[in-house]
Amino acid sequence: MINMIWMGMILIGFGFAAVNGNIDAVTKAVFDGAQTGVTVSFGLISILVFWLGMMRIAEDSGLLKKVAVMLGPVVRFLFPDVPKDHPAIGYILSNMSANLFGLGNAATPMGIKAMQELQKLNPDKDTATPAMCTLLALNTASITLIPTTLIAIRLNYESANPAEIVGTTLLATAIATAAAILADRWYRRRTIRRKQPSGIGAGRNPDMKG
Amino acid sequence: MLSWISVISAWSIPIMVAFIPLYAYTRKVPVYESFVEGAKDGFSTAIGIIPHLVGMMVAISVFRSSGALEFFVGWTGPFLQSLGVPGEILPLGLLRPLTGTGSLAYTTELIRAYGPDSMIGRIASTIQGSTDTTLYVLTVYFGAVGIRNGRYALKVGLFSDLVGFIAAIAVCLLVFG
């Protein structure tokens, strides 16, 4: 699906530019986009270096494990296939709480670190595990208690009540997160169910790859 | 409630930065060495994301600057309008999963043009705040560990974006309508 979306955006963009006669825009867009990609990655260096260092201290001191044990039940429900005291749990929790308080630039390094820990449990390094998909679902929906950036912008444009959207945002983000968790669960079950018959009846379907 | 949350937001990072080394020190961890050891991974992780982000940003940039995005927006706007939803909101639904900066710019523009306390301004703020940029999150998180096959993650992300978009509009119409 990601292949289709990626190629689709480029091809549709190419088609539109060709028909509209602004093919030059494509050339410019290619180089601008590439530059944005590098700029964003470089912007990540400072926060990644700092937070990964900080989180290593937390890991070495056993703090991460302690937090994981305390908040274990929630994570065990969401990530049933991650071992109870695996370091990934601590990172997942730090990632979730950073998102909750709108600390985007702390959430990303912790999420990446959680991914790296989950990757250690992954038998097939090219393919995402269900736990990775769940972590991603939680982050794309990213439940937020307080949308700080938006409040700042509204304040800037002289809103009478800049924070009045906190309640609506909280409700909408909760619904989106619930939808993400449900959809993730549904796909996860379906993947597991698919795997079982292909294991038993593998001989009948020689063309099917497990 | 709100002031309580903003106090936590303001204090949580400074407290973590102070508390983590202190706790580790009492557990006899060589805090500075430990920090440097972990921080080493940061650079290579960020560099490893570059190919993924460049690829994705180029595709989004081509799609946007060719006028394709605008076309889809103009085509679907009247449909939403017939449901009693301001048509200006729709581009946000398309932009939000694709580009964080793009959708933030568009939200800011809507707030500037219609006012933060208009229905459009409120809905836009709610949509912008309620989900994260799916394509960016997917690219960065999977890119950092070299996952090529993301399985159903993208579908789940886009589905939750759609639900969040509809929920944001519905909640705003109910609360402020």
Side-chain angles (χ1 to χ4, degrees):
Chain A
M1 190 175 179
I2 190 84
N3 292 317
M4 290 310 293
I5 289 195
W6 189 70
M7 200 175 67
M9 282 196 293
I10 293 178
L11 292 184
I12 293 171
F14 173 82
F16 263 87
V19 171
N20 293 338
N22 60 341
I23 201 75
D24 289 346
V26 174
T27 315
K28 191 175 177 299
V30 166
F31 295 118
D32 283 354
Q35 191 164 23
T36 312
V38 174
T39 314
V40 172
S41 303
F42 269 68
L44 282 173
I45 294 178
S46 53
I47 56 165
L48 273 172
V49 168
F50 177 73
W51 280 113
L52 293 190
M54 219 50 186
M55 293 318 281
R56 175 65 66 88
I57 302 179
E59 196 184 337
D60 287 351
S61 65
L63 189 63
L64 218 51
K65 222 170 228 178
K66 217 169 194 172
V67 177
V69 171
M70 264 163 53
L71 292 163
V74 185
V75 182
R76 259 199 303 285
F77 165 74
L78 290 168
F79 299 89
D81 37 15
V82 179
K84 211 162 101 183
D85 50 358
H86 195 271
I89 304 252
Y91 288 117
I92 290 170
L93 281 167
S94 334
N95 168 258
M96 281 163 66
S97 32
N99 270 328
L100 209 56
F101 293 108
L103 311 171
N105 62 359
T108 310
M110 290 163 190
I112 287 174
K113 194 70 199 164
M115 275 290 172
Q116 288 170 342
E117 290 296 332
L118 292 176
Q119 180 73 320
K120 288 182 191 160
L121 298 168
N122 189 357
D124 173 6
K125 301 296 180 203
D126 280 343
T127 308
T129 59
M132 289 176 166
C133 292
T134 307
L135 180 63
L136 214 75
L138 289 176
N139 273 283
T140 58
S142 112
I143 198 155
T144 312
L145 288 181
I146 180 155
T148 36
T149 320
L150 264 304
I151 294 178
I153 292 173
R154 293 169 59 81
L155 198 64
N156 228 2
Y157 287 99
E158 285 155 16
S159 168
N161 186 359
E164 70 177 352
I165 48 114
V166 169
T168 54
T169 305
L170 195 54
L171 199 52
T173 187
I175 294 171
T177 305
I181 292 172
L182 284 176
D184 176 67
R185 272 290 142 114
W186 188 76
Y187 275 113
R188 183 196 278 250
R189 288 233 177 90
R190 214 177 61 157
T191 321
I192 293 168
R193 229 185 289 140
R194 254 195 205 159
K195 258 187 197 157
Q196 281 164 345
S198 82
I200 301 161
R204 275 178 292 167
N205 272 331
D207 292 337
M208 286 257 287
K209 283 182 185 162
Chain B
M1 174 71 183
L2 182 63
S3 60
W4 180 75
I5 291 171
S6 58
V7 166
I8 293 183
S9 291
W11 279 78
S12 52
I13 285 185
I15 285 179
M16 271 165 71
V17 170
F19 177 73
I20 293 174
L22 183 67
Y23 178 86
Y25 186 75
T26 62
R27 292 288 179 282
K28 299 197 167 52
V29 173
V31 281
Y32 183 69
E33 272 110 333
S34 195
F35 174 84
V36 172
E37 203 49 49
K40 273 181 193 160
D41 299 338
F43 187 73
S44 53
T45 305
I47 298 303
I49 301 168
I50 291 182
H52 300 267
L53 266 182
V54 166
M56 208 41 91
M57 291 299 176
V58 165
I60 291 167
S61 169
V62 167
F63 188 67
R64 199 150 61 131
S65 66
S66 67
L69 186 63
E70 227 172 292
F71 171 81
F72 288 113
V73 164
W75 187 65
T76 30
F79 168 73
L80 260 193
Q81 207 116 36
S82 68
L83 296 173
V85 178
E88 291 84 349
I89 288 299
L90 189 88
L92 207 51
L94 291 174
L95 278 173
R96 194 68 197 93
L98 296 179
T99 130
T101 46
S103 66
L104 185 62
Y106 189 78
T107 300
T108 312
E109 174 55 26
L110 285 181
I111 290 176
R112 192 196 60 76
Y114 296 93
D117 301 324
S118 64
M119 185 56 92
I120 290 178
R122 286 160 166 166
I123 297 179
S125 310
T126 304
I127 292 170
Q128 180 68 26
S130 64
T131 64
D132 207 338
T133 317
T134 296
L135 224 49
Y136 171 80
V137 172
L138 191 101
T139 306
V140 167
Y141 281 35
F142 281 167
V145 290
I147 293 287
R148 294 218 182 84
N149 177 5
R151 294 182 66 189
Y152 48 82
L154 181 60
K155 283 183 214 165
V156 171
L158 292 179
F159 173 72
S160 101
D161 284 337
L162 180 68
V163 172
F165 179 67
I166 296 169
I169 295 173
V171 168
C172 282
L173 288 177
L174 279 175
V175 173
F176 303 120

